[in-house]
Amino acid sequence: MTAGHVQPAGAAWVHRAIGLIQADYQRSADTHLIALPLEPYRGAGIDLYFKDESTHPTGSLKHRLARSLFLYALCNGWVREGTTVVEASSGSTAVSEAYFAQLLGLPFVAVMPRSTSPEKVDLITFYGGRCHFVDNAAQVYDAARQVAADTGGHYMDQFTHAERATDWRGNNNIAQSMFSQMAHERHPVPCWVVVGAGTGGTSATIGRFIRYQMHHTQLCVAEPEGSVFSAYHRSGDATLQAPGSRIEGIGRPRVEASFIRTLIDRMIDVPDVDSLAAMHSLGRLLGRRLGPSTGTNFAAMLTLANEMRERGERGSVMSLICDGGERYQHNYHDPAWVQQHFGQLVVESPVLTRL
Ligand SMILES: Cc1ncc(COP(=O)(O)O)c(C=O)c1O
């Protein structure tokens, strides 16, 4: 800093905070890309890949978003020394934001539906965060705004800022990492990338990157039951509402600002029983437990791979492992809970017959 130059009040703290996040980033490794050689697809020249986002320090794809949202809020002057950070979340983002709030020594409040898995609640508390529960997903927004007002804090608002806080042109975003890790594969530029949408931020980042890089890749969003995005994608009516999704992390009761429908080439509606069946099947194929939104991705991938096979088309299909099954011991990986919420249907899912 030049002699005699007066730094704005609080700037030193913000610089130190940005430095702490950069150092954390420097200590972190990128996530793996897992190839799944699956017949009859491989024999037909179709390769399946999963970007394993469960290996981030906070266990999900939301680790990247939380880092971007904190840098965005710090650089906008919205978060300063002592600011209480508040977020509305289905759980995953709140776990990752609690981690970064702790890194910066800031209070953190997660506003979540009461149904959020207890494992995620424990993780938020583990990172020093406080949980504020509401009865259903549609109430999180106003409740988070109120908590921010009551504490004089900042509502991070992932649903609005996810699509703009992430650098979609590069900077090792999820898309750049996925495409560069495909460099030595037999079909390095995938035909399809399949993701779910909660905020819509992941699909927005990948969709923009694909176009910016002028790839021929198409983007597909795997949509669970009870979500508004498929109808919105068809009609463009942003006032649409829906009952809400039972697949944690994806599907929304209202159209979110970060869901950019013009970036999405195709929506595939996946019945919840297929999501759960696919979650279990892929888990068996990879030898580990996965989260339900990864099952939704896999079910949609199989639909696309089957269509490619029928057309005699060769190529790669990529998707994400969004988080691990260890977060869902009390619900999606508990047979009694599945029976109670989904009945016996899961074992009859057509997904299983395709494998
Ligand atoms: C487990 C899980 N999968 C997928 C997503 C969807 O990601 P995005 O919010 O970027 O659309 C989320 C979002 O919260 C999630 O928690």
Side-chain angles (χ1 to χ4, degrees):
M1 184 158 62
T2 47
H5 174 73
V6 180
Q7 230 182 6
W13 183 88
V14 171
H15 293 170
R16 204 169 64 78
I18 292 169
L20 285 169
I21 293 175
Q22 302 296 44
D24 175 83
Y25 178 62
Q26 191 63 29
R27 292 193 300 271
S28 300
D30 196 357
T31 57
H32 309 291
L33 185 67
I34 297 174
L36 178 69
L38 189 63
E39 297 304 346
Y41 307 107
R42 183 166 66 165
I46 299 164
D47 298 327
L48 307 180
Y49 298 88
F50 293 88
K51 180 72 169 156
D52 187 0
E53 295 291 281
S54 73
T55 52
H56 281 292
T58 55
S60 88
L61 77 172
K62 291 295 177 166
H63 193 80
R64 296 177 193 268
L65 175 65
R67 183 190 298 125
S68 301
L69 286 170
F70 266 87
L71 289 171
Y72 191 67
L74 286 163
C75 296
N76 279 328
W78 297 340
V79 167
R80 303 161 173 276
E81 186 163 10
T83 300
T84 297
V85 174
V86 182
E87 185 59 285
S89 171
S90 62
S92 306
T93 306
V95 171
S96 301
E97 287 188 15
Y99 171 91
F100 284 102
Q102 186 182 59
L103 185 73
L104 304 187
L106 297 172
F108 178 75
V109 184
V111 178
M112 302 181 296
R114 221 169 286 289
S115 60
T116 301
S117 74
E119 290 85 358
K120 290 181 186 173
V121 173
D122 292 347
L123 280 168
I124 293 162
T125 316
F126 171 77
Y127 290 124
R130 179 165 68 79
C131 298
H132 177 104
F133 295 106
V134 294
D135 295 330
N136 64 63
Q139 297 167 326
V140 291
Y141 317 101
D142 292 344
R145 222 168 268 114
Q146 190 57 49
V147 171
D150 297 347
T151 58
H154 171 65
Y155 170 33
M156 203 64 112
D157 190 5
Q158 61 164 334
F159 295 103
T160 301
H161 298 118
E163 62 87 7
R164 64 192 77 163
T166 303
D167 184 344
W168 49 272
R169 275 171 291 242
N171 204 358
N172 198 36
N173 65 41
I174 190 169
Q176 185 179 46
S177 175
M178 288 165 83
F179 279 77
S180 64
Q181 288 174 320
M182 287 289 286
H184 300 306
E185 303 306 307
R186 67 174 172 174
H187 307 294
V189 178
C191 297
W192 289 97
V193 173
V194 179
V195 296
T199 62
T202 303
S203 57
T205 301
I206 295 173
R208 290 183 182 134
F209 183 84
I210 287 170
R211 293 171 187 214
Y212 180 61
Q213 295 293 330
M214 297 173 270
H215 291 311
H216 67 258
T217 308
Q218 294 189 85
L219 178 63
C220 169
V221 167
E223 171 87 327
E225 293 172 27
S227 176
V228 75
F229 291 137
S230 279
Y232 170 59
H233 186 259
R234 273 191 303 277
S235 69
D237 177 359
T239 65
L240 288 172
Q241 308 246 329
S245 152
R246 294 190 296 179
I247 305 296
E248 249 178 63
I250 57 171
R252 296 300 306 169
R254 72 171 199 187
V255 174
E256 304 295 357
S258 287
F259 182 87
I260 314 291
R261 65 190 275 270
T262 49
L263 287 168
I264 296 153
D265 301 293
R266 173 134 178 223
M267 302 288 298
I268 292 182
D269 294 330
V270 179
D272 291 347
V273 289
D274 290 1
S275 291
L276 292 205
M279 175 189 82
H280 288 296
S281 322
L282 183 60
R284 274 192 295 278
L285 290 164
L286 295 177
R288 47 185 291 210
R289 287 188 165 187
L290 303 166
S293 68
T294 302
T296 314
N297 287 343
F298 186 41
M301 287 173 90
L302 292 174
T303 300
L304 294 169
N306 276 303
E307 289 173 5
M308 288 170 68
R309 192 160 155 257
E310 276 145 28
R311 285 195 302 266
E313 192 184 338
R314 303 166 65 83
S316 300
V317 181
M318 300 182 80
S319 190
L320 309 183
I321 292 173
C322 302
D323 60 2
E326 66 284 349
R327 296 177 162 207
Y328 305 99
Q329 301 305 323
H330 288 77
N331 42 23
Y332 303 97
H333 284 286
D334 173 359
W337 185 93
V338 171
Q339 168 86 21
Q340 185 199 341
H341 289 80
F342 294 90
Q344 264 305 86
L345 299 177
V346 173
V347 289
E348 294 142 16
S349 157
V351 164
L352 299 180
T353 52
R354 284 192 205 138
L355 293 175

